[in-house]
Amino acid sequence: MRKLLALAVMAALALSVAVIAGAAPGSDSLVTVGSSPSPFSQNKQNEPAMAIDANHPNVVVAGANDNIDLEDCNAGADNTCPFTAGVGVSGVYFSFDSGNTWTQPTYTGLSARNCHGVPGPDPGCQPVAGGPIGTIPWYFENGLSSDGDPAVAFGPKPDASGRFAWANGSRLYYANLTSNLGATRDEATFKGFEAIAVSRTDSAQAAAANVKSAWMPPVIVSKQVSQTIFSDKEQIWADNASSSPFFGTVYVCWASFRGQEKSPNAAPAPLFVGVSHDGGATWTQQQVTPAANNGERNPTDGCTIRTDSHGTAYVFGVGTQSSQGHDAFELMSVSTDGGKSWSKATPVAGPVTQPGVTDPVLGRPVIDGVAGARSDLAPAPSVDIANGAPTGADATNRLVMTYVSGEITKPHVYFTESTNGGATWTAARPIEGATDRGYYTAPAISPNGTDVYVVYNAFTTPFQPTTATPRSLVGVVLHATAGVAGPTGAFTEIHRSVPGDPRGSSQNNLVGEFLGDYVYAAATRSYGAAVWNDTRNAADCPAVDAYRQALESGQSATAPAIQQQCPATFGNSDIWAFTTAP
């Protein structure tokens, strides 16, 4: 096995060197390189995550919801494009040149790539066990299905005695939603609709080189005590500064919707944090916020978690507090004992406004136009800390936060920061471009606190009252200089993507667009990198536009046969990246 791993690592490094030579400096790059431009929904990717190995800063990993292994629309009924039961959708991608070029590994698992179908009726899809997959492995073999919402983090590897040190190597953690593969309660691996699971690898190079055994089997983090629990919207972080007394501790935060599909008007939904002190093998969990979810109080959602150089852990989310009336705020809770206990959540920024109008068909707020992209979690905070990783020696522990808030005519990308451990925060300031209507955003700060990067998706067209008119989506990366003291300076735009029409993206049920809920950024002392949702290669389909418009108008309508009535690249949403590394 050691020989196989060594050969795989050498092959991955050789491939990396080969593609670096052809990389164009200053341009953005396609992350989801394993995806073909057609057909839908195999060409659909969204909700990217990103992490940089603090001890090997040329190593970058990304995750995304990836439909690469799902059936074609022509399988079964030609006008349905379902998620194939049991087939995973948690894609993973690697870069060994600081995010300039990417590779997507292929493993084996439950795959529906063989389900092409034919025009007209056919028997439908029969996924193949042991077929090729472009997603995280070992779920099917453990009675699970990977369900996306990816989050990634690098931390130190523990040795045989459980002690963490960068000298032992780096461990990559990949968190995502997971569901039971079995159809009955007796076949279930856990209770409830969705759980949070974490996969791990100690060799990014081997994992990138298609070595399935480089990954450990997934571990369930959330304690699924009820059949109605839907764990959702998780984020992961590893304490990666060796100056911390809790160095190596891994944290996962998530919202636990306890009454999913049982009591939609008053479903309890507390925020939880799971903690592992043994490299992700075992987990404990703490409830951080109250469970209330009703007309008087909305629960904390859209969490982010980080640690500073002293080991203080911070978890953030967006929600309301009874002391603040009905307004929503960015809320923060802190742990100083390695996640054993957490402070009461307190507001640190806001109030925030959800940018969007409720679509009558989707039942969710949309921001670019009717049947558009949902904007539920646009106000959710995204945070980073200058914790001096990997050693913590040059940490400033500056906290930076971004979020999107405002009226639909001009949703702002807001930036705020704290230099005193979250005790006080600067007044939030809008930083987006003059023509941009912010959508989702994330910041990153260099470990030594000198450079701040912000990525955001934005629409450059106003809200569209009809599906017949084009819309424009871009990804933007900003940079600003920060110091040891004083506020971060003005932001300047360092990259703007090629625009795309988001009408070319789609939910699998075809009734609306789909771009997901996240973008992501990461930074080292020498460069910053970012990933975003991109529709530059997606073709608008007039037949789908007409179908969506009919539904919006309250008419009965039949969905079109996508592969016969739409351009081949309809639905081709991708993940693209930008890095400032040469």
Side-chain angles (χ1 to χ4, degrees):
M1 181 58 69
R2 288 182 179 177
K3 185 176 181 180
L4 287 174
L5 287 174
L7 290 173
V9 169
M10 291 174 64
L13 291 177
L15 175 62
S16 178
V17 171
V19 293
I20 289 173
S27 61
D28 52 17
S29 57
L30 178 66
V31 175
T32 47
V33 292
S35 170
S36 62
S38 65
F40 184 75
S41 72
Q42 291 181 2
N43 61 2
K44 172 185 172 181
Q45 292 82 33
N46 49 71
E47 294 196 346
M50 169 182 274
I52 297 175
D53 184 347
N55 206 40
H56 304 90
N58 64 305
V59 179
V60 191
V61 67
N65 296 341
D66 196 330
N67 287 15
I68 186 173
D69 301 318
L70 299 188
E71 63 193 76
D72 294 358
C73 294
N74 274 352
D78 292 352
N79 64 346
T80 63
C81 307
F83 286 95
T84 312
V87 174
V89 293
S90 297
V92 63
Y93 324 89
F94 295 91
S95 173
F96 299 99
D97 60 1
S98 305
N100 282 286
T101 56
W102 295 84
T103 183
Q104 181 174 5
T106 300
Y107 308 114
T108 57
L110 189 66
S111 177
R113 292 190 191 182
N114 63 308
C115 294
H116 303 299
V118 295
D122 58 68
C125 179
Q126 294 296 323
V128 174
I133 63 170
T135 55
I136 291 289
W138 300 119
Y139 277 78
F140 166 70
E141 295 83 351
N142 288 275
L144 299 168
S145 176
S146 65
D147 284 348
D149 271 24
V152 288
F154 280 100
K157 177 185 173 182
D159 61 19
S161 64
R163 299 185 63 182
F164 291 97
W166 285 117
N168 301 333
S170 302
R171 174 164 289 182
L172 168 62
Y173 300 88
Y174 187 115
N176 69 160
L177 306 185
T178 184
S179 59
N180 286 299
L181 191 65
T184 68
R185 182 176 298 185
D186 291 340
E187 297 171 333
T189 303
F190 62 85
K191 293 180 179 180
F193 295 94
E194 293 282 336
I196 308 299
V198 171
S199 297
R200 299 162 291 160
T201 180
D202 293 334
S203 177
Q205 290 80 2
N210 308 322
V211 180
K212 182 177 179 180
S213 59
W215 288 96
M216 294 172 244
V219 177
I220 301 295
V221 176
S222 54
K223 297 186 185 301
Q224 304 286 122
V225 297
S226 167
Q227 295 292 347
T228 63
I229 288 180
F230 194 113
S231 300
D232 199 8
K233 306 301 178 190
E234 91 294 339
Q235 286 289 307
I236 193 168
W237 181 254
D239 190 332
N240 60 354
S242 58
S243 58
S244 165
F246 310 110
F247 178 53
T249 298
V250 189
Y251 300 87
V252 177
C253 61
W254 71 92
S256 180
F257 295 94
R258 293 180 168 180
Q260 183 73 8
E261 299 182 5
K262 298 295 182 182
S263 179
N265 295 321
L271 185 69
F272 275 87
V273 175
V275 182
S276 176
H277 299 289
D278 57 6
T282 62
W283 296 81
T284 60
Q285 69 177 35
Q286 294 285 335
Q287 182 174 325
V288 177
T289 65
N293 182 9
N294 50 50
E296 298 299 320
R297 183 169 184 163
N298 295 121
T300 306
D301 198 3
C303 69
T304 296
I305 196 160
R306 288 292 188 272
T307 55
D308 66 18
S309 65
H310 307 299
T312 300
Y314 304 79
V315 63
F316 298 84
V318 61
T320 61
Q321 284 199 327
S322 55
S323 61
Q324 302 292 333
H326 294 285
D327 289 333
F329 287 83
E330 313 300 2
L331 305 175
M332 180 185 75
S333 184
V334 175
S335 175
T336 58
D337 55 9
K340 294 179 182 178
S341 61
W342 295 84
S343 67
K344 180 180 178 181
T346 57
V348 297
V352 297
T353 302
Q354 191 175 65
V357 296
T358 299
D359 187 281
V361 175
L362 304 179
R364 310 182 75 154
V366 295
I367 187 170
D368 59 317
V370 296
R374 73 189 193 194
S375 54
D376 302 52
L377 286 181
S382 189
V383 178
D384 200 17
I385 303 178
N387 70 346
T391 66
D394 57 356
T396 65
N397 292 315
R398 181 186 294 258
L399 292 89
V400 292
M401 175 193 295
T402 60
Y403 56 92
V404 174
S405 176
E407 299 300 324
I408 194 168
T409 54
K410 179 60 173 174
H412 292 300
V413 177
Y414 282 103
F415 174 83
T416 181
E417 60 188 334
S418 174
T419 56
N420 56 8
T424 59
W425 293 76
T426 61
R429 52 177 164 132
I431 59 173
E432 80 284 349
T435 62
D436 296 339
R437 298 169 57 244
Y439 182 42
Y440 285 105
T441 180
I445 187 168
S446 59
N448 61 352
T450 59
D451 294 273
V452 180
Y453 304 88
V454 173
V455 62
Y456 64 85
N457 265 133
F459 298 102
T460 59
T461 46
F463 185 89
Q464 300 297 302
T466 172
T467 61
T469 50
R471 308 170 186 186
S472 177
L473 174 75
V474 294
V476 179
V477 184
L478 309 177
H479 171 264
T481 301
V484 175
T488 294
F491 282 91
T492 58
E493 183 176 302
I494 58 175
H495 184 73
R496 177 172 289 260
S497 77
V498 174
D501 191 334
R503 292 179 302 163
S505 69
S506 186
Q507 296 181 179
N508 279 57
N509 63 6
L510 305 177
V511 301
E513 301 168 9
F514 193 86
L515 299 172
D517 297 324
Y518 305 102
V519 295
Y520 222 89
T524 72
R525 289 168 180 78
S526 58
Y527 76 92
V531 286
W532 62 88
N533 301 293
D534 198 290
T535 57
R536 72 182 71 179
N537 294 322
D540 174 50
C541 178
V544 171
D545 293 339
Y547 171 64
R548 293 173 179 172
Q549 187 64 60
L551 296 179
E552 292 287 331
S553 301
Q555 303 170 12
S556 61
T558 301
I562 296 300
Q563 290 181 250
Q564 283 74 259
Q565 296 179 253
C566 292
T569 57
F570 170 75
N572 186 28
S573 55
D574 295 305
I575 306 305
W576 283 72
F578 175 76
T579 176
T580 63

